[in-house]
Amino acid sequence: MTNKQLAETFVFMKEEALPLRFKPLAGESTAMRNRSRKDLADTIHYEEGKDYIVDYEEGTIRRANGSRIPDGSLHPMYGVSGFDHNRYSDFSNQAYTVYLDYSTESVTEDRSLTTEDIERSGLLRRLVGKLEAGEEAVYVVYGDSISTGGEASEEGLAYFGRIRDTLLNLYKEGRIRIANKAIGGEDTSGGVRRVASDVVPLNADLVSIGYGMNDQNKQADGHTTTLEDFEKNLRFMIDTIRNAGDSDILLVTPCEPNPNWQHTSGKTALYADVIRRLGDEYGIGVLDAHATWAAELAAGKTHESLLLNNINHPNDYGHWIYSKALSPMLKKR
């Protein structure tokens, strides 16, 4: 069976080959551009064989000599270890990021997710009840800048927009209204201060809580938030929401930041472990983006190819990696 891998992202360094996430099918067309969506007026479309070369046997791709595709090695932070992004007028990868559609026999996403899987998991009882009744469900997105949709080109391509669309694909009579209460730059201490005023009054059917990226940051005096305080703060938010009603709750683990950024602690996995443990203890879902992100890195994706700001914000493909954690979460239960 042929599947399509859509808008996979790459930042090419010179003419160095990068692995495709899945083995491409020879004889099938590919399409590369400088935007996630191909229908935008300012989209530049690149030509296979002229701008980029696909090795179908090896499953790799690279810039061609004389390519119109921007060379990521010209990025001012290329090769800089422990960089301070504040010293650069433009530290984004946007100008160097390209998006590729191609055909593969691999399963590029779990299309087998069913309503039975969701209902059997027991994680989204209140939300499913609304959707099955054809009513509007309220989904509150809570967390840091990644949960604001940071670096996604539009709401529908942010992880929460993709989750909404996945659910509505299965419950076609329902409606989901997203109320985004995330704040950029915030850690769990900020979430604790706001949860009673910004989340509880909305009486949400679903609340996702996405923190950890700013909590793990390495500052001059240590991490922004200790693991003990991180756990305590998450418990406070979960308990506050639970004590106020029966909202479904999902915890979201953070992706890995650029290891060359000076504020990266290297301990993001430990914060993700706290989130997983609390999910098990409370019996609530964990959208384990850290696990799906780690799988992408292990398969050869580079940090530059996944982080649009080159620091800690996923690009559109990175948000897809987040949303891809929904199916294993539900099937696991």
Side-chain angles (χ1 to χ4, degrees):
M1 179 180 176
T2 300
N3 292 306
K4 294 291 287 187
Q5 172 75 328
L6 301 176
E8 182 175 338
T9 45
F10 300 87
V11 172
F12 295 110
M13 309 301 180
K14 303 177 183 178
E15 283 77 50
E16 297 171 7
L18 292 174
L20 292 151
R21 183 63 179 86
F22 303 100
K23 187 169 176 116
L25 279 177
E28 299 285 335
S29 63
T30 65
M32 181 178 286
R33 55 195 176 274
N34 70 329
R35 295 284 184 271
S36 181
R37 282 177 48 186
K38 56 188 174 184
D39 58 343
L40 299 177
D42 61 345
T43 301
I44 300 171
H45 297 272
Y46 300 108
E47 184 179 339
E48 183 177 355
K50 181 177 180 181
D51 293 305
Y52 62 98
I53 308 295
V54 178
D55 187 324
Y56 289 89
E57 186 61 32
E58 295 295 325
T60 62
I61 187 170
R62 64 176 177 85
R63 288 176 73 248
N65 291 325
S67 174
R68 294 176 295 158
I69 298 170
D71 179 359
S73 71
L74 300 179
H75 193 293
M77 293 189 299
Y78 172 69
V80 179
S81 180
F83 65 78
D84 178 0
H85 65 283
N86 294 306
R87 296 185 177 183
Y88 299 85
S89 59
D90 182 7
F91 49 83
S92 172
N93 282 323
Q94 182 163 345
Y96 305 93
T97 302
V98 293
Y99 302 78
L100 181 74
D101 300 339
Y102 62 95
S103 299
T104 175
E105 288 183 346
S106 303
V107 178
T108 59
E109 60 181 306
D110 192 344
R111 294 185 175 88
S112 65
L113 184 66
T114 66
T115 56
E116 288 77 16
D117 293 325
I118 296 173
E119 288 152 26
R120 192 181 303 117
S121 76
L123 297 174
L124 302 175
R125 287 193 182 94
R126 175 165 165 171
L127 180 73
V128 166
K130 286 286 188 72
L131 298 180
E132 286 183 329
E135 299 175 7
E136 180 181 77
V138 176
Y139 170 18
V140 171
V141 183
Y142 200 53
D144 56 29
S145 55
I146 296 173
S147 291
T148 68
E151 307 301 328
S153 59
E154 56 188 69
E155 182 183 86
L157 297 178
Y159 78 83
F160 49 83
R162 293 175 186 266
I163 288 173
R164 174 197 60 198
D165 293 345
T166 295
L167 293 170
L168 292 182
N169 238 2
L170 294 170
Y171 298 94
K172 299 185 185 301
E173 301 303 315
R175 291 165 290 136
I176 298 177
R177 175 169 60 86
I178 293 175
N180 198 312
K181 294 296 179 179
I183 291 181
E186 189 172 73
D187 60 22
T188 50
S189 61
V192 163
R193 288 191 295 270
R194 296 192 299 118
V195 65
S197 60
D198 285 12
V199 177
V200 169
L202 297 177
N203 190 27
D205 301 293
L206 172 65
V207 180
S208 62
I209 303 174
Y211 288 99
M213 181 59 74
N214 297 320
D215 293 273
Q216 68 81 39
N217 281 350
K218 182 174 63 178
Q219 306 293 357
D221 58 350
H223 300 141
T224 303
T225 312
T226 65
L227 287 168
E228 293 75 17
D229 285 342
F230 182 65
E231 177 175 341
K232 181 176 70 174
N233 291 342
L234 285 175
R235 285 184 183 277
F236 182 89
M237 286 183 265
I238 295 167
D239 290 340
T240 299
I241 295 168
R242 277 194 155 183
N243 291 338
D246 62 346
S247 300
D248 298 323
I249 301 174
L250 297 182
L251 303 179
V252 184
T253 60
C255 66
E256 282 288 339
N258 191 327
N260 287 322
W261 183 40
Q262 70 169 5
H263 293 301
T264 301
S265 68
K267 298 183 178 181
T268 310
L270 299 180
Y271 290 80
D273 284 341
V274 170
I275 295 170
R276 295 182 188 109
R277 180 162 48 77
L278 288 178
D280 287 340
E281 179 183 330
Y282 279 93
I284 57 182
V286 175
L287 190 75
D288 199 352
H290 188 271
T292 51
W293 194 276
E296 295 284 324
L297 293 174
K301 298 302 291 184
T302 64
H303 294 278
E304 293 83 2
S305 294
L306 300 179
L307 298 167
L308 198 67
N309 70 346
N310 203 30
I311 300 170
N312 56 6
H313 288 175
N315 55 30
D316 287 343
Y317 181 75
H319 277 275
W320 174 74
I321 295 169
Y322 266 68
S323 69
K324 194 169 69 164
L326 180 69
S327 180
M329 177 190 77
L330 295 169
K331 285 180 174 292
K332 176 183 175 183
R333 296 285 296 189

PDB file of all heavy atoms in Angstrom, residues 41-64:
ATOM      1  N   ALA A  41       0.541  31.955  -2.125  1.00  0.00           N
ATOM      2  CA  ALA A  41       0.977  32.705  -3.300  1.00  0.00           C
ATOM      3  C   ALA A  41       2.492  32.860  -3.379  1.00  0.00           C
ATOM      4  O   ALA A  41       3.062  32.878  -4.471  1.00  0.00           O
ATOM      5  CB  ALA A  41       0.310  34.076  -3.306  1.00  0.00           C
ATOM      6  N   ASP A  42       3.164  32.980  -2.234  1.00  0.00           N
ATOM      7  CA  ASP A  42       4.602  33.236  -2.254  1.00  0.00           C
ATOM      8  C   ASP A  42       5.442  31.963  -2.154  1.00  0.00           C
ATOM      9  O   ASP A  42       6.645  32.020  -1.903  1.00  0.00           O
ATOM     10  CB  ASP A  42       4.984  34.182  -1.115  1.00  0.00           C
ATOM     11  CG  ASP A  42       4.660  33.595   0.258  1.00  0.00           C
ATOM     12  OD1 ASP A  42       3.905  32.610   0.315  1.00  0.00           O
ATOM     13  OD2 ASP A  42       5.162  34.128   1.263  1.00  0.00           O
ATOM     14  N   THR A  43       4.812  30.806  -2.377  1.00  0.00           N
ATOM     15  CA  THR A  43       5.521  29.545  -2.264  1.00  0.00           C
ATOM     16  C   THR A  43       6.512  29.363  -3.413  1.00  0.00           C
ATOM     17  O   THR A  43       6.188  29.589  -4.577  1.00  0.00           O
ATOM     18  CB  THR A  43       4.528  28.362  -2.256  1.00  0.00           C
ATOM     19  OG1 THR A  43       3.637  28.509  -1.156  1.00  0.00           O
ATOM     20  CG2 THR A  43       5.265  27.033  -2.135  1.00  0.00           C
ATOM     21  N   ILE A  44       7.731  28.950  -3.068  1.00  0.00           N
ATOM     22  CA  ILE A  44       8.741  28.595  -4.063  1.00  0.00           C
ATOM     23  C   ILE A  44       8.748  27.076  -4.192  1.00  0.00           C
ATOM     24  O   ILE A  44       8.882  26.353  -3.200  1.00  0.00           O
ATOM     25  CB  ILE A  44      10.139  29.085  -3.645  1.00  0.00           C
ATOM     26  CG1 ILE A  44      10.150  30.602  -3.499  1.00  0.00           C
ATOM     27  CG2 ILE A  44      11.187  28.638  -4.656  1.00  0.00           C
ATOM     28  CD1 ILE A  44      11.435  31.145  -2.888  1.00  0.00           C
ATOM     29  N   HIS A  45       8.606  26.588  -5.406  1.00  0.00           N
ATOM     30  CA  HIS A  45       8.616  25.150  -5.658  1.00  0.00           C
ATOM     31  C   HIS A  45       9.959  24.761  -6.257  1.00  0.00           C
ATOM     32  O   HIS A  45      10.415  25.359  -7.236  1.00  0.00           O
ATOM     33  CB  HIS A  45       7.470  24.757  -6.591  1.00  0.00           C
ATOM     34  CG  HIS A  45       6.118  25.015  -6.011  1.00  0.00           C
ATOM     35  ND1 HIS A  45       5.455  24.100  -5.225  1.00  0.00           N
ATOM     36  CD2 HIS A  45       5.305  26.110  -6.086  1.00  0.00           C
ATOM     37  CE1 HIS A  45       4.279  24.609  -4.844  1.00  0.00           C
ATOM     38  NE2 HIS A  45       4.166  25.822  -5.346  1.00  0.00           N
ATOM     39  N   TYR A  46      10.587  23.730  -5.650  1.00  0.00           N
ATOM     40  CA  TYR A  46      11.902  23.299  -6.095  1.00  0.00           C
ATOM     41  C   TYR A  46      11.785  22.072  -6.991  1.00  0.00           C
ATOM     42  O   TYR A  46      10.790  21.335  -6.930  1.00  0.00           O
ATOM     43  CB  TYR A  46      12.795  23.006  -4.891  1.00  0.00           C
ATOM     44  CG  TYR A  46      12.993  24.208  -3.995  1.00  0.00           C
ATOM     45  CD1 TYR A  46      12.379  24.286  -2.743  1.00  0.00           C
ATOM     46  CD2 TYR A  46      13.772  25.282  -4.406  1.00  0.00           C
ATOM     47  CE1 TYR A  46      12.553  25.392  -1.922  1.00  0.00           C
ATOM     48  CE2 TYR A  46      13.963  26.387  -3.596  1.00  0.00           C
ATOM     49  CZ  TYR A  46      13.345  26.443  -2.361  1.00  0.00           C
ATOM     50  OH  TYR A  46      13.506  27.547  -1.562  1.00  0.00           O
ATOM     51  N   GLU A  47      12.807  21.852  -7.808  1.00  0.00           N
ATOM     52  CA  GLU A  47      12.761  20.812  -8.831  1.00  0.00           C
ATOM     53  C   GLU A  47      13.722  19.675  -8.483  1.00  0.00           C
ATOM     54  O   GLU A  47      14.912  19.903  -8.260  1.00  0.00           O
ATOM     55  CB  GLU A  47      13.130  21.419 -10.182  1.00  0.00           C
ATOM     56  CG  GLU A  47      13.035  20.467 -11.344  1.00  0.00           C
ATOM     57  CD  GLU A  47      13.392  21.131 -12.659  1.00  0.00           C
ATOM     58  OE1 GLU A  47      13.332  22.379 -12.732  1.00  0.00           O
ATOM     59  OE2 GLU A  47      13.742  20.389 -13.603  1.00  0.00           O
ATOM     60  N   GLU A  48      13.173  18.453  -8.445  1.00  0.00           N
ATOM     61  CA  GLU A  48      14.016  17.286  -8.198  1.00  0.00           C
ATOM     62  C   GLU A  48      15.006  17.108  -9.348  1.00  0.00           C
ATOM     63  O   GLU A  48      14.647  17.248 -10.517  1.00  0.00           O
ATOM     64  CB  GLU A  48      13.171  16.023  -8.035  1.00  0.00           C
ATOM     65  CG  GLU A  48      14.008  14.787  -7.707  1.00  0.00           C
ATOM     66  CD  GLU A  48      13.193  13.528  -7.466  1.00  0.00           C
ATOM     67  OE1 GLU A  48      11.943  13.606  -7.452  1.00  0.00           O
ATOM     68  OE2 GLU A  48      13.822  12.461  -7.279  1.00  0.00           O
ATOM     69  N   GLY A  49      16.227  16.786  -9.004  1.00  0.00           N
ATOM     70  CA  GLY A  49      17.263  16.614 -10.007  1.00  0.00           C
ATOM     71  C   GLY A  49      18.017  17.892 -10.303  1.00  0.00           C
ATOM     72  O   GLY A  49      19.181  17.852 -10.716  1.00  0.00           O
ATOM     73  N   LYS A  50      17.374  19.011 -10.070  1.00  0.00           N
ATOM     74  CA  LYS A  50      18.014  20.304 -10.305  1.00  0.00           C
ATOM     75  C   LYS A  50      18.338  21.006  -8.986  1.00  0.00           C
ATOM     76  O   LYS A  50      19.439  21.540  -8.803  1.00  0.00           O
ATOM     77  CB  LYS A  50      17.112  21.189 -11.154  1.00  0.00           C
ATOM     78  CG  LYS A  50      17.703  22.555 -11.486  1.00  0.00           C
ATOM     79  CD  LYS A  50      16.761  23.341 -12.386  1.00  0.00           C
ATOM     80  CE  LYS A  50      17.351  24.719 -12.710  1.00  0.00           C
ATOM     81  NZ  LYS A  50      16.431  25.519 -13.565  1.00  0.00           N
ATOM     82  N   ASP A  51      17.371  21.014  -8.070  1.00  0.00           N
ATOM     83  CA  ASP A  51      17.573  21.663  -6.772  1.00  0.00           C
ATOM     84  C   ASP A  51      17.895  20.663  -5.667  1.00  0.00           C
ATOM     85  O   ASP A  51      18.570  21.011  -4.697  1.00  0.00           O
ATOM     86  CB  ASP A  51      16.320  22.451  -6.379  1.00  0.00           C
ATOM     87  CG  ASP A  51      16.076  23.638  -7.291  1.00  0.00           C
ATOM     88  OD1 ASP A  51      16.989  24.462  -7.436  1.00  0.00           O
ATOM     89  OD2 ASP A  51      14.974  23.734  -7.860  1.00  0.00           O
ATOM     90  N   TYR A  52      17.406  19.446  -5.800  1.00  0.00           N
ATOM     91  CA  TYR A  52      17.669  18.433  -4.783  1.00  0.00           C
ATOM     92  C   TYR A  52      17.739  17.055  -5.440  1.00  0.00           C
ATOM     93  O   TYR A  52      17.156  16.813  -6.498  1.00  0.00           O
ATOM     94  CB  TYR A  52      16.600  18.445  -3.680  1.00  0.00           C
ATOM     95  CG  TYR A  52      15.192  18.121  -4.139  1.00  0.00           C
ATOM     96  CD1 TYR A  52      14.670  16.827  -3.997  1.00  0.00           C
ATOM     97  CD2 TYR A  52      14.367  19.097  -4.691  1.00  0.00           C
ATOM     98  CE1 TYR A  52      13.377  16.532  -4.396  1.00  0.00           C
ATOM     99  CE2 TYR A  52      13.073  18.807  -5.094  1.00  0.00           C
ATOM    100  CZ  TYR A  52      12.582  17.522  -4.944  1.00  0.00           C
ATOM    101  OH  TYR A  52      11.295  17.218  -5.347  1.00  0.00           O
ATOM    102  N   ILE A  53      18.494  16.164  -4.784  1.00  0.00           N
ATOM    103  CA  ILE A  53      18.730  14.816  -5.293  1.00  0.00           C
ATOM    104  C   ILE A  53      18.221  13.808  -4.271  1.00  0.00           C
ATOM    105  O   ILE A  53      18.586  13.874  -3.088  1.00  0.00           O
ATOM    106  CB  ILE A  53      20.228  14.553  -5.543  1.00  0.00           C
ATOM    107  CG1 ILE A  53      20.837  15.656  -6.418  1.00  0.00           C
ATOM    108  CG2 ILE A  53      20.420  13.171  -6.161  1.00  0.00           C
ATOM    109  CD1 ILE A  53      20.289  15.735  -7.813  1.00  0.00           C
ATOM    110  N   VAL A  54      17.382  12.885  -4.708  1.00  0.00           N
ATOM    111  CA  VAL A  54      16.891  11.812  -3.854  1.00  0.00           C
ATOM    112  C   VAL A  54      17.598  10.516  -4.233  1.00  0.00           C
ATOM    113  O   VAL A  54      17.627  10.135  -5.405  1.00  0.00           O
ATOM    114  CB  VAL A  54      15.364  11.628  -3.998  1.00  0.00           C
ATOM    115  CG1 VAL A  54      14.883  10.470  -3.117  1.00  0.00           C
ATOM    116  CG2 VAL A  54      14.622  12.903  -3.617  1.00  0.00           C
ATOM    117  N   ASP A  55      18.187   9.852  -3.252  1.00  0.00           N
ATOM    118  CA  ASP A  55      18.752   8.521  -3.461  1.00  0.00           C
ATOM    119  C   ASP A  55      17.713   7.514  -2.960  1.00  0.00           C
ATOM    120  O   ASP A  55      17.564   7.309  -1.752  1.00  0.00           O
ATOM    121  CB  ASP A  55      20.071   8.367  -2.690  1.00  0.00           C
ATOM    122  CG  ASP A  55      20.786   7.059  -3.000  1.00  0.00           C
ATOM    123  OD1 ASP A  55      20.100   6.041  -3.187  1.00  0.00           O
ATOM    124  OD2 ASP A  55      22.031   7.054  -3.022  1.00  0.00           O
ATOM    125  N   TYR A  56      16.979   6.930  -3.892  1.00  0.00           N
ATOM    126  CA  TYR A  56      15.859   6.061  -3.524  1.00  0.00           C
ATOM    127  C   TYR A  56      16.331   4.759  -2.905  1.00  0.00           C
ATOM    128  O   TYR A  56      15.606   4.155  -2.103  1.00  0.00           O
ATOM    129  CB  TYR A  56      14.993   5.798  -4.759  1.00  0.00           C
ATOM    130  CG  TYR A  56      14.222   7.025  -5.191  1.00  0.00           C
ATOM    131  CD1 TYR A  56      14.767   7.936  -6.093  1.00  0.00           C
ATOM    132  CD2 TYR A  56      12.967   7.277  -4.663  1.00  0.00           C
ATOM    133  CE1 TYR A  56      14.074   9.073  -6.463  1.00  0.00           C
ATOM    134  CE2 TYR A  56      12.258   8.415  -5.030  1.00  0.00           C
ATOM    135  CZ  TYR A  56      12.817   9.316  -5.923  1.00  0.00           C
ATOM    136  OH  TYR A  56      12.127  10.447  -6.280  1.00  0.00           O
ATOM    137  N   GLU A  57      17.515   4.306  -3.267  1.00  0.00           N
ATOM    138  CA  GLU A  57      18.039   3.067  -2.698  1.00  0.00           C
ATOM    139  C   GLU A  57      18.482   3.282  -1.258  1.00  0.00           C
ATOM    140  O   GLU A  57      18.185   2.480  -0.364  1.00  0.00           O
ATOM    141  CB  GLU A  57      19.204   2.555  -3.540  1.00  0.00           C
ATOM    142  CG  GLU A  57      19.712   1.192  -3.118  1.00  0.00           C
ATOM    143  CD  GLU A  57      18.666   0.093  -3.227  1.00  0.00           C
ATOM    144  OE1 GLU A  57      17.798   0.169  -4.130  1.00  0.00           O
ATOM    145  OE2 GLU A  57      18.705  -0.829  -2.386  1.00  0.00           O
ATOM    146  N   GLU A  58      19.191   4.385  -1.014  1.00  0.00           N
ATOM    147  CA  GLU A  58      19.703   4.671   0.322  1.00  0.00           C
ATOM    148  C   GLU A  58      18.677   5.365   1.214  1.00  0.00           C
ATOM    149  O   GLU A  58      18.818   5.405   2.433  1.00  0.00           O
ATOM    150  CB  GLU A  58      20.962   5.546   0.231  1.00  0.00           C
ATOM    151  CG  GLU A  58      22.140   4.865  -0.435  1.00  0.00           C
ATOM    152  CD  GLU A  58      22.644   3.681   0.367  1.00  0.00           C
ATOM    153  OE1 GLU A  58      22.605   3.746   1.614  1.00  0.00           O
ATOM    154  OE2 GLU A  58      23.077   2.694  -0.261  1.00  0.00           O
ATOM    155  N   GLY A  59      17.648   5.959   0.599  1.00  0.00           N
ATOM    156  CA  GLY A  59      16.637   6.681   1.372  1.00  0.00           C
ATOM    157  C   GLY A  59      17.152   7.998   1.916  1.00  0.00           C
ATOM    158  O   GLY A  59      16.834   8.380   3.041  1.00  0.00           O
ATOM    159  N   THR A  60      17.950   8.694   1.105  1.00  0.00           N
ATOM    160  CA  THR A  60      18.512   9.976   1.525  1.00  0.00           C
ATOM    161  C   THR A  60      18.173  11.073   0.527  1.00  0.00           C
ATOM    162  O   THR A  60      17.732  10.807  -0.600  1.00  0.00           O
ATOM    163  CB  THR A  60      20.049   9.891   1.669  1.00  0.00           C
ATOM    164  OG1 THR A  60      20.624   9.568   0.384  1.00  0.00           O
ATOM    165  CG2 THR A  60      20.449   8.850   2.691  1.00  0.00           C
ATOM    166  N   ILE A  61      18.418  12.304   0.935  1.00  0.00           N
ATOM    167  CA  ILE A  61      18.144  13.473   0.105  1.00  0.00           C
ATOM    168  C   ILE A  61      19.214  14.532   0.392  1.00  0.00           C
ATOM    169  O   ILE A  61      19.713  14.624   1.515  1.00  0.00           O
ATOM    170  CB  ILE A  61      16.720  14.014   0.395  1.00  0.00           C
ATOM    171  CG1 ILE A  61      16.341  15.129  -0.573  1.00  0.00           C
ATOM    172  CG2 ILE A  61      16.569  14.459   1.849  1.00  0.00           C
ATOM    173  CD1 ILE A  61      14.872  15.532  -0.485  1.00  0.00           C
ATOM    174  N   ARG A  62      19.568  15.317  -0.634  1.00  0.00           N
ATOM    175  CA  ARG A  62      20.564  16.375  -0.442  1.00  0.00           C
ATOM    176  C   ARG A  62      20.303  17.514  -1.418  1.00  0.00           C
ATOM    177  O   ARG A  62      19.566  17.364  -2.402  1.00  0.00           O
ATOM    178  CB  ARG A  62      21.975  15.828  -0.659  1.00  0.00           C
ATOM    179  CG  ARG A  62      22.254  15.344  -2.085  1.00  0.00           C
ATOM    180  CD  ARG A  62      23.694  14.924  -2.238  1.00  0.00           C
ATOM    181  NE  ARG A  62      23.984  14.397  -3.577  1.00  0.00           N
ATOM    182  CZ  ARG A  62      24.287  15.153  -4.623  1.00  0.00           C
ATOM    183  NH1 ARG A  62      24.331  16.486  -4.507  1.00  0.00           N
ATOM    184  NH2 ARG A  62      24.556  14.602  -5.800  1.00  0.00           N
ATOM    185  N   ARG A  63      20.911  18.651  -1.122  1.00  0.00           N
ATOM    186  CA  ARG A  63      20.906  19.778  -2.056  1.00  0.00           C
ATOM    187  C   ARG A  63      21.778  19.417  -3.256  1.00  0.00           C
ATOM    188  O   ARG A  63      22.790  18.741  -3.126  1.00  0.00           O
ATOM    189  CB  ARG A  63      21.493  21.037  -1.422  1.00  0.00           C
ATOM    190  CG  ARG A  63      20.645  21.715  -0.390  1.00  0.00           C
ATOM    191  CD  ARG A  63      21.377  22.899   0.245  1.00  0.00           C
ATOM    192  NE  ARG A  63      21.462  24.037  -0.666  1.00  0.00           N
ATOM    193  CZ  ARG A  63      22.587  24.486  -1.209  1.00  0.00           C
ATOM    194  NH1 ARG A  63      23.740  23.868  -0.972  1.00  0.00           N
ATOM    195  NH2 ARG A  63      22.565  25.537  -2.001  1.00  0.00           N
ATOM    196  N   ALA A  64      21.365  19.900  -4.407  1.00  0.00           N
ATOM    197  CA  ALA A  64      22.188  19.731  -5.601  1.00  0.00           C
ATOM    198  C   ALA A  64      23.148  20.907  -5.716  1.00  0.00           C
ATOM    199  O   ALA A  64      22.928  21.973  -5.127  1.00  0.00           O
ATOM    200  CB  ALA A  64      21.301  19.655  -6.843  1.00  0.00           C
TER     201      ALA A  64
END
